[in-house]
Amino acid sequence: MSEPKYAKANINRTFIKAPIETVWSTLVATDKPLPFFFGAICQTTNGLKKGAQMRMVHPNRKIAMVVGEVLEFTPPHTYAHTFQMTNIDEPPCKVTYRLEEKDGGTQFELTIENAIEGGKLIKEMVSSQGFIASNLKALAETGKPAFTGRMVGLLSPIFGMLAKDKQKIEHWPLS
């Protein structure tokens, strides 16, 4: 069997009119729903730090949507982790969030790497980059998610009912 072919890195950049500390604290919040991550709650066993296991869970706390391991955590500039969607049977990719102070605000960069070319994961991730960036921007600038983030929040109970059995949180424990 041949080695999988990986898609080229996909980078999304967005300027956020907020201090880097505000963007960082919004991005790395744990244990509360994050509208820019489709309402998911970031959970870890021992905080976000290199080597920590993390998962993004549905607000009902019964479904693991994403699991991964923190690869880099350098406040307030870089947060990188592996990223495996629990509903897609593909190996994880790498997601990196970079923040840079710029022109009285913060340059937010979201990079997706090491995803299988043509796979479901890269398609989902690339189509989600704009949603993530626009909702993080709105939340950091105004304290409220964008319209799309509010709609996802309202539809969250329906998404929870549509989850697959293999996504149940007990199948994805934090070690």
Side-chain angles (χ1 to χ4, degrees), residues 9 12-13 16-17 21 40 62 68 71 82 85 87 90 110 122 137 142 152 154 159 167 172:
N12 177 287
R13 290 182 187 92
I16 301 174
K17 296 176 193 165
E21 294 81 10
K62 296 178 182 177
L71 302 172
T82 59
M85 293 181 76
N87 65 329
E90 290 180 19
L110 169 54
I122 190 67
K137 175 180 174 67
T142 70
V152 166
L154 290 173
F159 297 145
Q167 291 180 272
W172 304 96

Side-chain angles (χ1 to χ4, degrees), residues 2 9 25 27 31-34 52 57 62 70 76 79 83-84 91 93 97 100 104 114 129 136 163 171:
S2 64
S25 64
L27 177 67
D31 295 322
K32 68 180 185 179
L34 303 172
V57 301
K62 296 178 182 177
V70 178
Y79 170 33
F83 185 100
Q84 179 181 3
C93 65
Y97 312 94
E100 178 185 340
N114 304 329
Q129 279 180 310
L136 177 63
H171 300 303

Side-chain angles (χ1 to χ4, degrees), residues 95-137:
V95 175
T96 304
Y97 312 94
R98 285 191 179 83
L99 303 179
E100 178 185 340
E101 290 180 287
K102 192 172 188 176
D103 301 325
T106 304
Q107 181 75 36
F108 169 70
E109 180 180 286
L110 169 54
T111 303
I112 303 163
E113 302 173 272
N114 304 329
I116 303 296
E117 186 174 284
K120 289 181 180 179
L121 182 59
I122 190 67
K123 290 176 185 170
E124 288 285 327
M125 292 295 297
V126 169
S127 69
S128 298
Q129 279 180 310
F131 176 91
I132 292 167
S134 67
N135 278 281
L136 177 63
K137 175 180 174 67

Side-chain angles (χ1 to χ4, degrees), residues 148-174:
T148 54
R150 293 192 306 271
M151 289 301 100
V152 166
L154 290 173
L155 296 172
S156 181
I158 295 168
F159 297 145
M161 291 187 296
L162 298 174
K164 298 176 181 178
D165 185 62
K166 69 179 182 175
Q167 291 180 272
K168 289 183 179 173
I169 202 163
E170 58 264 21
H171 300 303
W172 304 96
L174 291 171

